[in-house]
Amino acid sequence: MARPTQRARTLSQNFLADRATADHFARLAVPDGGRPPLLLEVGAGKGALTEPLARRCRELRAYEIDPHLVPALRTRFARTPHVRVVAGDFLAARPPRTPFHVAGNVPFSRTAAVVDWCLKAPGLTDATFLTQLEYARKRTGDYGRWSRLTVLTWPRHDWRLLGRVGRHGFRPVPRVDAGVLRIERRRTPLLDAAAYRSWRPLVELGFSGVGGSLHASLRREHPRRRVDAAFRAARLDAGVLVGEVAPQRWLRLHEVLAA
């Protein structure tokens, strides 16, 4: 039988071991005065985040994929009736039909899949994750560069980096620090449904990499004079690289090119 540490490494688990950090994360996930009706936790582990999250919501579904951890979790929260420990893979869960929130210490190797699940869930209100710091910085533009996924989803989702957690606060200790990533579904999308249909093809074209610059990529399907006008409206240099263009400037490009 695999030892706990070996299982943790196999499942890419790094358990949060610092109580103060867990309490702080719970406040970021559910700010004071919130108390949402339904919160889903990804990767409950040993319950370090489950406990402070449970104090801040009316119903908590704590998902844990490791069957060896589930019995202790259920025992720990047996007297907390609004907490339900779900044995199984969060990614296999069907998104609730009613509005819900998501939070958790996400296994680094599964971050992209968990984020994708959240972005596709119509009822998601927001998601707050402990992720690999590099992932959080990349998705939120903290490097001064923006990823394709962030730009694609920007009209409907806001991405923010809320903090950093040192790697020594986890067991086993990972090789890198973690970041607190927050994704919020906008109450009012920045583009209506009709405009959004032309948003994705434009962003995909821009990130195609053909031509060596965003300007050159967009000229594949748009007249140069239109692209020039869009760049002037967005206050962009013609030689700018696609990753250097913030989502807000993409909105200006779209406004001109999709007119």
Side-chain angles (χ1 to χ4, degrees), residues 94-100 116-126 156-157 185-186:
R94 180 173 296 178
R97 295 182 179 180
T98 57
F100 67 96
D116 185 60
W117 186 99
C118 290
L119 292 172
K120 291 178 178 178
L124 178 80
T125 300
D126 54 67
R156 295 178 177 174
H157 296 85
R185 182 181 294 276
R186 302 184 190 278

Side-chain angles (χ1 to χ4, degrees), residues 37-55:
L38 177 59
L39 175 63
L40 311 186
E41 183 187 3
V42 185
K46 299 180 180 180
L49 288 178
T50 312
E51 186 171 317
L53 288 173
R55 295 195 295 265

Side-chain angles (χ1 to χ4, degrees), residues 34-100:
R35 199 166 176 76
L38 177 59
L39 175 63
L40 311 186
E41 183 187 3
V42 185
K46 299 180 180 180
L49 288 178
T50 312
E51 186 171 317
L53 288 173
R55 295 195 295 265
R56 308 180 76 86
C57 66
R58 282 176 266 172
E59 180 185 352
L60 175 61
R61 298 177 194 171
Y63 288 81
E64 177 48 52
I65 195 172
D66 188 344
H68 297 87
L69 299 175
V70 171
L73 271 173
R74 287 179 170 163
T75 298
R76 180 172 178 177
F77 296 100
R79 297 184 179 181
T80 312
H82 72 289
V83 175
R84 179 160 67 95
V85 176
V86 182
D89 189 351
F90 171 82
L91 294 174
R94 180 173 296 178
R97 295 182 179 180
T98 57
F100 67 96

